[in-house]
Amino acid sequence: MSLQPKMTADEIGEFLSVEFPQIDGRFKIECIGPMTATMSMLANEGDLRPGGTVSGPAMFALADVAFYVVTLAMIGPQALTVTTGCTINFMRKPEPGRLLADARILKLGRSLCVGDVLLHSGDADRAVAHASMTYSIPPQR
């Protein structure tokens, strides 16, 4: 299996717009590399919980989409690639605004993709959450 991405950020963006129009414009692919991707999301009023911090479900959504994107980048456009496992640890309260997700694949097999995602709030160096992700890759037809 090649370590070079099979899809560019633009190709993945177009794919997501067609397959998942409900999230169109919600997330931005910042960059794609071999086994890595960086995405961002602007946490808006609907993403906040009492106390003004970004909610866990909003952070999970960013981590999940970021790992989906890095997986697609490496395997190509397979819409039925799905999350089979996720453990997320929330470490700090993120401020409302821009969140960044750094996703990386640790093992890419024929049927499973395993990796993690670090979430950062704005330009802060310290992570606000860490997600361990496993995706199921559909069999080749």
Side-chain angles (χ1 to χ4, degrees):
M1 200 174 281
S2 170
L3 288 181
Q4 291 304 311
K6 293 183 178 182
M7 296 178 76
T8 66
D10 288 340
E11 290 168 335
I12 296 170
E14 289 174 25
F15 175 83
L16 292 175
S17 292
V18 170
E19 296 294 330
F20 299 98
Q22 67 272 26
I23 66 166
D24 198 27
R26 179 87 171 108
F27 305 96
K28 180 182 177 193
I29 301 171
E30 300 289 338
C31 67
I32 299 288
M35 309 284 272
T36 64
T38 300
M39 294 195 66
S40 63
M41 174 185 87
L42 187 59
N44 59 38
E45 190 69 30
D47 296 318
L48 303 183
R49 58 177 286 231
T53 188
V54 179
S55 72
M59 288 189 279
F60 171 80
L62 176 58
D64 195 39
V65 172
F67 200 72
Y68 185 67
V69 163
V70 73
T71 302
L72 290 182
M74 297 308 295
I75 67 171
Q78 297 186 44
L80 295 179
T81 300
V82 296
T83 310
T84 58
C86 175
T87 300
I88 189 165
N89 294 296
F90 303 104
M91 301 182 290
R92 291 176 185 79
K93 290 181 178 182
E95 295 297 318
R98 186 170 182 246
L99 290 177
L100 286 173
D102 292 318
R104 66 179 175 163
I105 295 173
L106 300 172
K107 182 178 187 314
L108 180 58
R110 285 188 308 268
S111 61
L112 289 177
C113 182
V114 178
D116 63 3
V117 181
L118 273 176
L119 299 179
H120 300 271
S121 180
D123 295 325
D125 290 335
R126 298 186 316 167
V128 296
H130 174 260
S132 297
M133 307 291 298
T134 303
Y135 264 64
S136 176
I137 300 168
Q140 295 290 334
R141 297 186 188 255

